[in-house]
Amino acid sequence: MTLPTRRVSIKRGQEFIKTAGLLIPVVLFAAGQNSYAGDGAPDKAMQFNIPAQSLSSALTRFSADTRLQVLYEGDVADKLQAPALNGTYTPAQALEKLLGGSGLKSRYTNDKTITIEAPTGQNQSNTTTLKTMTVTGKASYADNDPYNPNYNRSTATTATKTDTPIMLTPASIQVVPKAVMNDQQNINILDSLNKNVSGVSARTGSSLLYDNFIIRGFNTGLAGAAYRNGLLSPTNFYEPANIEQLEVLKGPAAALYGRVEPGGMVNITTKKPLATPYYALQQQFGSYDLYRTTVDATGPIDDAKTVLYRFNATYLDKGSFKDRVGSDRVFIAPTLSWRPNDKFEANAELEYKRDNVTMDAGLPVLNGANRPTKLPTNLFLGDSAANLAEQESVLIGYDWTFHFNDDWKLTNRFLWEDWNLKQFSVNPVSLRADNRTLNRGLSYGQRAFETYATNLDLNGKFDLFGTRHDILVGGDFNDTVFPGDTTFQGATAAVPTIDIYNPVYGRVNQAALDLLPKNNFRVKHDQWFGVYFQDQITLWDKLHIMGGGRYDWSLSGSTITRNSLQQAKNAFSDIETQNFSPRAGLLYQPWTWLSLYGNYTQSFNSNAGSPATGSQFAPQVGEQFEAGFKTEFFDKRLSTSLAFYHLTKSNTLTPDTKNFGFSLAIGEARSQGIEVDIKGQLTEKLNLVTTYAYTDTRVTKDNSGIVGNKLSNVPEHQASVWGTYQLTERFKVGLGEVMVGSRQGDAENTFLLPGYARTDAMAAYIHPIGKTRLTTQLNINNLLNKNYFSDSSNGGRLSVLYGEPISVMGSLKLEY
């Protein structure tokens, strides 16, 4: 159902589409004049952007960029390291640089095949050609290749801020690449995480103002909602159109990132411009009046391919299985890259996003019930005239990297974001004793924040006394200001009660709401600065030791008053917190396909307010012990990981029983469990993602009577499986299952959310049209139409949310 109050935003979206319809073809035509030079000719120069990594991975990337087949013996390239390669070279020059210092030589055996050879003895003219094999099999792809169908990724930067392969990182890190998101047609990152990463529960309530995650039992909260290319991007709904991959680092990450919750963090890696022209136009349509249009265009601007561009855009308009609920979105994201030589690269980006969302707080649990009552799935207990939120954000960012040589580089990143919210939200307050009359209140007004984030990292590799070192030294700064939230919060006669069994809408007086005086004024400021170091030491090519730490200086404060914004500003004060967070890890790799690891990490976060003594609260501290193993098979196309962990969060606030109205920082909760992740390519035709998590959470210290309780919205058992099978070269099918055990619905453990299993399916057909290809795809989610409760949005008895019933999404995607 299209809401009258959304007509303005839809009209704006239509104007945006008309404008884009005129501009995009011009941009595509201009960019299309640059032809792709990657035809593999040894004397034809092309742009390369290959990070430092193992020689085998670098050769795979080289093969993907040049479309040349590279042959070499066994695992000889796995044991060697290739330098970074950035700049314009012929394939022959590029390969010479990649092999520099390795002792290996290359030669063309035909126009499309290169053989790697090792010289024997002192006479280099007398060479022996090694037994050959293909590096990448029948097809090879760079990680950022839009056509890359592989589910596995062997590298991720989140855990170490370096190019260390995941197999050599003594921590649990999972990657969800774009190929998985495309096959599942996930139009938000919450679904991508829920379906594909163990131990993660992304909260789905539309009463939330930002994407929200629970990792290893702990909510990431507002302060650590997600990171974007390594910098904190706090409150937001993240648009997946320009996301390359999602990286989830499990456990405390304060040693590199500062104030984060102990369960872990989500880092969003965005798309970067490509030297190879690529254009895509996709139209999706589905159940509940869903329409989504996306555009992706990238390529070089100049003939030398030193200046590259990328442009992503989205328009979304969708309803819901809930009555009177819907949303729309406009999103644009242009990006420029400058790569003048093989030593320097800079990227600049802009994002604009506007969301109109109907706020839906869910349904209440009846008084005395220990499970949610099965009310109609489409029941909405707000009011269509007063449950709208308009969220608008502008983001500007840049990053640059300078390579002093093959081993040393300096990287700087910067992000500025301006976020604004206009909100009307009718919320549940309490359910009366008759178990049908719901008292409602109002949240109405404006909120905003402005954030600056930057960091500077120096990364270098060197040998010392027979050991190999990969060091990182850096610092970062983040400043987030909420200059003044001005809202009305609470009950009012303008918002009457509602009968949950016989709801009557349109009783909220919009004119009366506009006249309500504001009664809630908030000023908030978070600022921190940190310096960190890290050393990854390699002994005997098999033993890898990681050690490091970070020292933080943090200022945090929040003041709320009832009378005026100026009063809140006058009363504002912040608390300074200093903390050192250590990190240590050990990894042993007896064979290239197996890594055994363990780690110890800490995190910290500040506590707002002060105790009755007037002194300062100690900061919250997270502490984790973890051990596990990782494997890689089939030429790194399939990876598995298993982790055991014990995690404690201490110094949380709990009521002071001797001083009414005050708190003590003595609370504690712990989480422990097992996580299994399997992802990648089992055969040339079968891709698979499988996860399982056992999560045992408990409150271990508290003064409010909840010691021994489980943490809310955290299932003890959680699993998923998703697979696609390539029936023919053009036709692919997929099937998946998400299984979630029962969960406690609130901190007091007064009610239980039942477990559920949901089945999803897909089919896709690729039809070549000249130099383009058209992909038609159909996804069916909740194929068996199971009724289930996804979560309790606000962790309470008044806000339980149904999961979406059976839904269908179709797609037409043209790529060239």
Side-chain angles (χ1 to χ4, degrees), residues 62-78:
F62 171 85
S63 180
D65 290 348
T66 62
R67 304 297 191 263
L68 295 171
Q69 187 180 51
V70 181
L71 309 175
Y72 64 92
E73 180 190 21
D75 62 354
V76 62
D78 290 332

Side-chain angles (χ1 to χ4, degrees), residues 619-787:
Q620 298 177 18
V621 175
E623 184 179 54
Q624 176 184 268
F625 297 89
E626 179 180 337
F629 67 83
K630 310 175 185 184
T631 65
E632 275 189 337
F633 300 105
F634 310 138
D635 196 21
K636 300 183 179 180
R637 294 193 303 270
L638 179 70
S639 69
T640 67
S641 67
L642 185 146
F644 303 85
Y645 68 90
H646 180 91
L647 177 59
T648 303
K649 179 181 180 181
S650 57
N651 295 340
T652 58
L653 297 185
T654 184
D656 185 344
T657 57
K658 295 182 180 180
N659 296 281
F660 179 76
F662 288 92
S663 298
L664 296 173
I666 61 170
E668 183 181 86
R670 68 113 175 100
S671 174
Q672 59 188 14
I674 303 171
E675 294 172 341
V676 180
D677 290 86
I678 303 172
K679 59 173 61 73
Q681 194 174 23
L682 281 177
T683 70
E684 291 183 0
K685 297 183 177 182
L686 179 61
N687 274 312
L688 182 70
V689 177
T690 301
T691 74
Y692 169 75
Y694 167 73
T695 310
D696 176 24
T697 64
R698 289 290 186 277
V699 176
T700 52
K701 294 180 182 179
D702 191 82
N703 282 344
S704 59
I706 62 172
V707 171
N709 283 9
K710 295 183 177 182
L711 302 183
S712 63
N713 283 296
V714 181
E716 191 169 89
H717 297 279
Q718 182 178 1
S720 68
V721 60
W722 170 264
T724 61
Y725 189 79
Q726 200 76 38
L727 291 173
T728 69
E729 185 179 354
R730 298 181 181 180
F731 186 53
K732 175 170 63 176
V733 295
L735 190 67
E737 190 85 6
V738 177
M739 295 156 281
V740 178
S742 60
R743 298 135 288 154
Q744 294 295 332
D746 59 2
E748 293 75 24
N749 289 188
T750 63
F751 73 99
L752 198 68
L753 297 172
Y756 65 90
R758 192 194 72 212
T759 305
D760 302 332
M762 66 84 69
Y765 182 80
I766 297 175
H767 180 62
I769 306 176
K771 294 183 180 181
T772 70
R773 74 176 195 179
L774 177 67
T775 302
T776 58
Q777 185 170 330
L778 182 71
N779 289 69
I780 304 177
N781 294 323
N782 197 359
L783 180 65
L784 303 180
N785 200 24
K786 295 288 187 180
N787 282 337

Side-chain angles (χ1 to χ4, degrees), residues 47-52 61 84-87 144 270-275 305-308 335-348 398-404 409-413:
Q47 179 72 26
F48 289 91
N49 182 29
I50 301 177
R61 178 70 175 268
L85 180 67
N86 295 281
N144 62 351
T270 59
K271 294 177 180 178
K272 296 293 187 290
L274 302 176
K305 299 186 177 182
T306 60
V307 181
L308 314 174
T335 306
L336 287 176
S337 291
W338 182 41
R339 302 168 185 169
N341 51 52
D342 63 347
K343 291 184 177 294
F344 184 79
E345 176 182 347
N347 302 287
Y398 72 76
D399 66 85
W400 58 262
T401 299
F402 179 76
H403 295 265
F404 298 97
K409 65 179 181 179
L410 186 67
T411 300
N412 174 232
R413 302 177 185 87

Side-chain angles (χ1 to χ4, degrees), residues 324 382-385 504-509:
R324 293 173 160 75
D383 194 282
S384 57
V504 178
Y505 301 103
R507 297 174 60 205
V508 174
N509 189 328

Side-chain angles (χ1 to χ4, degrees), residues 546-582:
M546 182 175 68
R550 173 187 172 111
Y551 198 87
D552 277 284
W553 296 263
S554 170
L555 288 173
S556 180
S558 178
T559 300
I560 298 176
T561 62
R562 299 297 181 186
N563 297 322
S564 70
L565 183 59
Q566 188 60 50
Q567 183 186 45
K569 292 180 178 179
N570 294 339
F572 176 80
S573 64
D574 50 24
I575 296 173
E576 180 179 357
T577 303
Q578 298 184 26
N579 194 75
F580 177 75
S581 304

